[in-house]
Amino acid sequence: MQQGLFESHIESLPLIHRGKVRDLYAMGQDHLLIVTTDRLSAFDVVMPRAIPGKGLVLSELTAFWMQRFESRIPNHFAGADLDLARYLRPDELAQCAGRGVAVRKLRALPVEAVARGYLIGSGWKDYQATGAVCGVALPTGLPLAGKLPEPIFTPAFKAPKGEHDANISFAEVERLVGPQVAAQVRDITLSLYREASDYAATRGIIIADTKFEFGLDEHGRLHLIDEVLTPDSSRFWPAAGYRPGISPPSFDKQYVRDYLETLDWNKTAPGPQLPDDVVEKTSEKYREAQRLLIG
Ligand SMILES: Nc1ncnc2c1ncn2[C@@H]1O[C@H](COP(=O)(O)OP(=O)(O)O)[C@@H](O)[C@H]1O
Ligand SMILES: [Mg+2]
């Protein structure tokens, strides 16, 4: 089996951050090189083995959606004039094939902009406990994985490294970024979610929920950044297998999560080694999501 790219090694540019999945390098003052690796995190812990091809899938899906939304919201792509070949050695350029992009360095908002159309995950837990999700009141009696009457905006605070993101209310978003930007983030999040859901429905996929990130440029203009509508940032369900009341299988890390649940592992770093078949099946799941959505 192929190894996949666990970590990029680029010496020609200063490394400024290794996220759970992406390595960020400075390209001068105003730009970043983002390399989407094949790292996989589960329960917020990075697994020690890469999932071959995962970073390529995330990169291609993100580029697809960012271009599709371009007339609605600007994105962080720097464009073709920032030629990576001028900055990198050939071996470094090779690491970037299909996964390295030059982007504008923007002021990232400390908010994960989540849109939900279905009751699952932390939303379901919140609903069971409070009858609401992130303070958004919902009708009683909705089942697990049930479709919501309307998609809802359920933001989270982007936690510093090593901490879990925490759901917050809209009022807290207003305090963090100001009421104007908060309203803009909410409206565009819901509108992009609707548009993507309509598109995905034509491909037999339900987008149960998704997370966007936004950044501001020097003029305070809102831009779409990071990753967009990938299996890491979204729950994709095959529409054919969907039934309210059961947790649908999805195109994400379910194989890994299911495997991890069989272990006596306390969900803190370091993560356990994943067996070959789990790595292979997960890699195939990512490629399948790409094929079904944009293939
Ligand atoms: N254009 C951009 N300008 C500034 N920061 C960005 C931009 N695009 C993405 N980021 C940030 O880069 C990081 C991407 O790395 P990732 O591995 O996804 O990190 P995390 O572990 O925080 O999810 C995120 O913190 C994201 O907010
Ligand atoms: Mg991320």
Side-chain angles (χ1 to χ4, degrees), residues 17-24 32 34 39 76 103-108 112 158 211 213 225-227:
H17 179 70
R18 276 195 216 280
K20 290 189 287 286
V21 174
R22 291 167 187 80
D23 295 339
L24 273 63
L32 300 170
I34 299 187
R39 292 195 291 274
H76 68 174
V103 305
R104 290 175 65 195
K105 186 164 142 191
L106 297 164
R107 202 145 47 82
E112 312 227 300
K158 227 179 127 50
K211 176 226 37 155
E213 290 186 36
I225 65 167
D226 202 56
E227 64 179 324

Side-chain angles (χ1 to χ4, degrees), residues 158-197:
K158 227 179 127 50
K161 204 176 172 167
E163 293 169 38
H164 293 284
D165 297 335
N167 286 346
I168 55 177
S169 67
F170 183 68
E172 282 169 288
V173 181
E174 288 184 310
R175 274 195 290 279
L176 284 167
V177 303
Q180 247 182 323
V181 173
Q184 211 188 340
V185 164
R186 177 196 57 204
D187 294 349
I188 191 80
T189 294
L190 290 172
S191 141
L192 297 182
Y193 171 73
R194 280 178 216 274
E195 186 177 330
S197 298

Side-chain angles (χ1 to χ4, degrees), residues 259-276:
Y259 169 74
L260 293 174
E261 294 289 5
T262 68
L263 302 180
D264 183 20
W265 172 57
N266 63 2
K267 295 179 185 154
T268 57
Q273 279 298 337
L274 302 175
D276 282 355

Side-chain angles (χ1 to χ4, degrees), residues 72-198:
R72 317 268 309 276
I73 180 162
N75 61 58
H76 68 174
F77 286 137
D81 9 315
L82 218 78
D83 183 6
L84 289 183
R86 289 203 339 255
Y87 290 80
L88 305 180
R89 300 190 310 245
D91 63 299
E92 296 171 336
L93 206 53
Q95 293 175 52
C96 291
R99 60 170 89 239
V101 287
V103 305
R104 290 175 65 195
K105 186 164 142 191
L106 297 164
R107 202 145 47 82
L109 302 179
V111 170
E112 312 227 300
V114 179
R116 296 173 194 268
Y118 293 78
L119 259 190
I120 195 78
S122 69
W124 170 245
K125 284 197 189 121
D126 199 0
Y127 175 71
Q128 281 181 300
T130 69
V133 180
C134 291
V136 182
L138 293 171
T140 53
L142 293 172
L144 170 71
K147 187 171 187 193
L148 300 174
E150 288 286 338
I152 56 173
F153 177 62
T154 62
F157 179 65
K158 227 179 127 50
K161 204 176 172 167
E163 293 169 38
H164 293 284
D165 297 335
N167 286 346
I168 55 177
S169 67
F170 183 68
E172 282 169 288
V173 181
E174 288 184 310
R175 274 195 290 279
L176 284 167
V177 303
Q180 247 182 323
V181 173
Q184 211 188 340
V185 164
R186 177 196 57 204
D187 294 349
I188 191 80
T189 294
L190 290 172
S191 141
L192 297 182
Y193 171 73
R194 280 178 216 274
E195 186 177 330
S197 298
D198 289 347

